[in-house]
Amino acid sequence: MFILAVILLPVIAILSYNHFKLPKQSIEQTKKILFRNNKAIIIGHRGGQFEAPENTLIAIKTAYKNGATAVEIDVDFTKDGVPILHHDDEVNRVTNSTGLVKEFMWNDLKKLNAASKFNYTITKGLIESVEFEGIPLLIDAIKLCMKYKLSINLDIKSNATGITNFLKDLLLKEPQSPDFIFVTSFMPHIVYKVRKECSQFGTGLIWRPHLLSRKMNGEPYDNQSIYLTLLYDILDYFYMWSVHLWLVDFLGVSLVSINKNYLIENGNIEYWRNQGIEVIVWTVNNVEEKKFFLSKNVPVITDSLLNSEYCPEPI
């Protein structure tokens, strides 16, 4: 039985892989979004969060004024299933309230002030105060980007079914939306579902080293024991191996979005391009690092579209 299992398990694994593996997405459509006049675009992270309240309509307007050609916005869902713009699981950090996004009904969430902690905008030579700015609906953010002819990177935080239903409806109303919208997520199951059910949209997997075990600065997540950190460190190693050797191929995506420190240290941009996959780098706030990646024609996600020297490194 043991010998039979040793023989059969790899066969079953290979057959399952080939059965569920998604076909490779064409990279040409993705390239049309990521490059303008053959030059990599610069993408405002959360709408350019160093110069405006993040993930808001005023952030998109400010990004446009500051010369953006694209914005990255985070998508989450309310308790009643409404797609909105928000990054954290909780509303605490950016609004005048507390609690989990998924516990708010839309009619309550829209009353919160997303500019309560960051209450100004910065454009070239001008700082203006913002008294109130609500958390926006995803559809309103897309309409505003269409007005300004901005490309959109939708970073999906949760609810794979919710986002695929939204994208299917969007395709009916705006058939040209795949020409300026692409979808990314840290969550492979979300990427898989979007790639499978909404194949018209360019899709990509977001990844960084130590995703499971540590914060961006390398420190263990809060309230995590040393033993759990060690376990997650091991899992992170296998996940890194999976991303590079089979997961991206299994998902059939046309791009990967990778943390800048890893790309600087490992320089594996060509590793992905040789597989017909484009690379986006995040979050690049240092001016010299921006120049470096743009010289490699790699699209850059940044907090500051004005290249402010005071824009901090993400932590």
Side-chain angles (χ1 to χ4, degrees):
M1 284 298 294
F2 176 75
I3 295 175
L4 184 62
V6 169
I7 296 172
L8 288 179
L9 285 177
V11 173
I12 293 171
I14 292 170
L15 291 175
S16 298
Y17 181 92
N18 290 328
H19 177 75
F20 291 106
K21 178 181 178 295
L22 296 176
K24 182 69 180 294
Q25 189 170 48
S26 170
I27 197 173
E28 295 308 315
Q29 181 178 328
T30 301
K31 281 186 172 181
K32 289 178 181 178
I33 300 177
L34 297 182
F35 302 92
R36 297 196 179 185
N37 299 319
N38 295 318
K39 291 185 178 180
I41 60 174
I42 299 177
I43 305 166
H45 186 222
R46 305 180 197 172
Q49 66 171 349
F50 187 72
E51 282 121 14
E54 67 179 65
N55 283 314
T56 61
L57 297 184
I58 201 168
I60 295 171
K61 293 176 186 176
T62 303
Y64 172 74
K65 291 178 182 178
N66 287 335
T69 51
V71 291
E72 181 264 4
I73 49 180
D74 299 295
V75 180
D76 209 338
F77 289 80
T78 61
K79 185 176 182 179
D80 47 341
V82 177
I84 53 93
L85 267 57
H86 201 267
H87 179 271
D88 300 358
D89 292 337
E90 299 177 332
V91 301
N92 307 24
R93 181 175 59 84
V94 297
T95 78
N96 55 333
S97 186
T98 59
L100 294 170
V101 172
K102 66 181 181 181
E103 294 179 351
F104 280 86
M105 301 292 282
W106 166 240
N107 282 337
D108 297 319
L109 191 72
K110 69 181 181 181
K111 298 172 185 176
L112 305 187
N113 186 5
S116 66
K117 308 291 176 64
F118 192 115
N119 58 359
Y120 57 90
T121 61
I122 304 173
T123 51
K124 297 171 184 177
L126 184 63
I127 299 177
E128 295 182 284
S129 64
V130 180
E131 290 188 9
F132 181 87
E133 184 69 19
I135 294 174
L137 293 169
L138 173 57
I139 190 62
D140 289 344
I142 290 175
K143 288 178 179 177
L144 187 60
C145 288
M146 292 175 65
K147 175 183 175 182
Y148 293 136
K149 295 182 171 57
L150 295 172
S151 299
I152 310 169
N153 176 187
L154 298 181
D155 181 348
I156 312 303
K157 300 300 180 185
S158 67
N159 200 334
T161 299
I163 193 59
T164 51
N165 288 342
F166 174 87
L167 292 173
K168 290 173 185 176
D169 185 59
L170 181 66
L171 276 171
L172 295 175
K173 297 174 181 176
E174 304 289 348
Q176 80 282 18
S177 54
D179 294 336
F180 62 90
I181 293 175
F182 62 97
V183 180
T184 58
S185 180
F186 278 102
M187 310 297 180
H189 72 282
I190 293 178
V191 175
Y192 188 92
K193 190 170 181 66
V194 172
R195 178 74 189 85
K196 184 178 181 180
E197 298 187 16
C198 304
S199 59
Q200 300 91 332
F201 291 91
T203 53
L205 182 68
I206 310 174
W207 178 78
R208 70 168 175 87
H210 310 297
L211 174 64
L212 303 175
S213 59
R214 298 174 187 275
K215 303 176 188 176
M216 289 281 293
N217 61 10
E219 296 180 1
Y221 290 116
D222 296 336
N223 303 318
Q224 183 172 280
S225 72
I226 187 172
Y227 303 106
L228 198 56
T229 300
L230 179 60
L231 172 62
Y232 285 149
D233 277 335
I234 295 170
L235 292 176
D236 268 320
Y237 173 80
F238 283 104
Y239 187 55
M240 178 180 70
W241 175 83
S242 299
V243 167
H244 285 77
L245 294 185
W246 67 270
L247 182 57
V248 168
D249 177 65
F250 179 78
L251 296 171
V253 297
S254 56
L255 66 98
V256 288
S257 185
I258 297 179
N259 175 258
K260 58 138 185 158
N261 295 330
Y262 182 80
L263 287 180
I264 289 173
E265 293 168 6
N266 294 275
N268 66 347
I269 297 167
E270 294 307 316
Y271 169 84
W272 295 109
R273 286 179 170 170
N274 289 338
Q275 299 180 59
I277 296 168
E278 280 300 333
V279 180
I280 298 174
V281 59
W282 56 274
T283 301
V284 189
N285 294 337
N286 179 279
V287 175
E288 293 304 314
E289 290 177 349
K290 284 183 191 177
K291 290 179 181 178
F292 168 78
F293 284 113
L294 292 174
S295 74
K296 302 287 187 182
N297 216 21
V298 177
V300 167
I301 296 178
T302 182
D303 291 325
S304 176
L305 293 154
L306 295 178
N307 291 330
S308 172
E309 62 181 301
Y310 301 107
C311 186
E313 288 292 291
I315 56 174

